[in-house]
Amino acid sequence: MLEELLRSGTLISIFLSTSDEMLPILISEAAPIDVILKILGIKLIIGIIAGFIIDLVINLTTKNIPKEKIGEICEHEHCHCEEGSILKSSLKHTLSIFIYIFLVSLILNTIIHFIGEDNLSNLILNKPILGPVIAGIIGLIPNCASSVILTQLYLSNVISVATMISGLLVGAGVGILILFRVNKDIKENSKIILLLYAIGVIAGITLQLCGLQI
């Protein structure tokens, strides 16, 4: 299941479509409902299209059916799922991932604190074409801070909606952290991240050139 997911467009589609902290911020700032739905709709459409294209390319270029590797997670966690203790195994998986996310998020928050959110924001100001490129880099930060910064800048009319969407497409919250936690293939993870970044930036620049206004 895990290997099949990683080698298909499903994971990319999920990452592109996720909203992380964007949605609660838009709601808390009383953004118009039609604006929220349009932004969510754009992310959803891009995620679906990208997922279908990736699946099509994979199906045309490979004949090997990936084997199920969910058992590798169980072996790594020593949870003994095969013994039938589903509740105990689930709790152990959840606790392990929670601790991992907490520690990594603590480190990232500390780094962002010293760098300063204002400094991150200034990177994408007044850069019409480079904006999506830089926003995509900010979106790679596996933390809610990236989506918070991008959404707040958009609501303040500092960046365009295309630039914000570019960064939000790349950002998948703690999803990237979990990806590295459960999949030890660094090369495969790197390809997924690069693919996310490329799709996010290309989509952002395309929307920018099309003059998207919401």
Side-chain angles (χ1 to χ4, degrees):
M1 178 65 179
L2 174 63
E3 184 73 5
E4 183 178 358
L5 184 63
L6 290 171
R7 292 187 181 280
S8 71
T10 305
L11 184 65
I12 297 296
S13 182
I14 293 173
F15 278 177
L16 291 172
S17 301
T18 185
S19 62
D20 196 30
E21 296 297 318
M22 176 201 73
L23 184 56
I25 290 178
L26 289 176
I27 294 175
S28 66
E29 294 292 335
I33 186 64
D34 62 314
V35 171
I36 297 176
L37 292 178
K38 286 178 182 178
I39 294 174
L40 291 176
I42 291 173
K43 284 170 58 62
L44 180 62
I45 292 173
I46 293 175
I48 292 174
I49 293 176
F52 274 124
I53 293 176
I54 294 170
D55 275 344
L56 179 61
V57 172
I58 291 177
N59 290 332
L60 292 175
T61 57
T62 181
K63 295 182 180 180
N64 296 323
I65 300 177
K67 298 180 179 179
E68 190 170 300
K69 294 179 67 177
I70 189 66
E72 290 187 0
I73 302 179
C74 298
E75 285 185 19
H76 182 268
E77 301 294 338
H78 305 291
C79 63
H80 305 294
C81 293
E82 69 281 359
E83 295 180 2
S85 180
I86 298 177
L87 179 59
K88 181 179 178 181
S89 300
S90 299
L91 290 175
K92 189 166 185 178
H93 284 309
T94 301
L95 179 61
S96 176
I97 292 176
F98 171 78
I99 294 175
Y100 175 78
I101 293 175
F102 174 78
L103 292 176
V104 175
S105 297
L106 179 63
I107 295 173
L108 287 173
N109 281 327
T110 302
I111 294 175
I112 293 174
H113 172 73
F114 285 106
I115 294 178
E117 292 188 3
D118 290 338
N119 291 328
L120 289 176
S121 301
N122 290 331
L123 288 175
I124 52 180
L125 299 181
N126 303 318
K127 298 178 176 65
I129 300 299
L130 286 179
V133 176
I134 300 175
I137 295 176
I138 293 178
L140 286 174
I141 300 174
N143 187 275
C144 62
S146 59
S147 59
V148 170
I149 292 172
L150 293 169
T151 306
Q152 290 287 8
L153 288 176
Y154 165 69
L155 291 174
S156 301
N157 295 316
V158 175
I159 62 175
S160 66
V161 65
T163 298
M164 178 189 70
I165 289 177
S166 180
L168 294 177
L169 285 171
V170 179
V174 296
I176 293 179
L177 295 181
I178 296 176
L179 174 64
F180 277 89
R181 178 68 179 83
V182 301
N183 185 49
K184 301 305 178 182
D185 191 334
I186 303 299
K187 184 177 180 180
E188 190 172 60
N189 293 342
S190 299
K191 289 180 179 178
I192 292 173
I193 292 176
L194 287 175
L195 189 56
L196 272 176
Y197 179 76
I199 294 173
V201 171
I202 292 173
I205 293 177
T206 301
L207 294 174
Q208 191 93 290
L209 294 176
C210 291
L212 176 67
Q213 297 290 334
I214 297 180

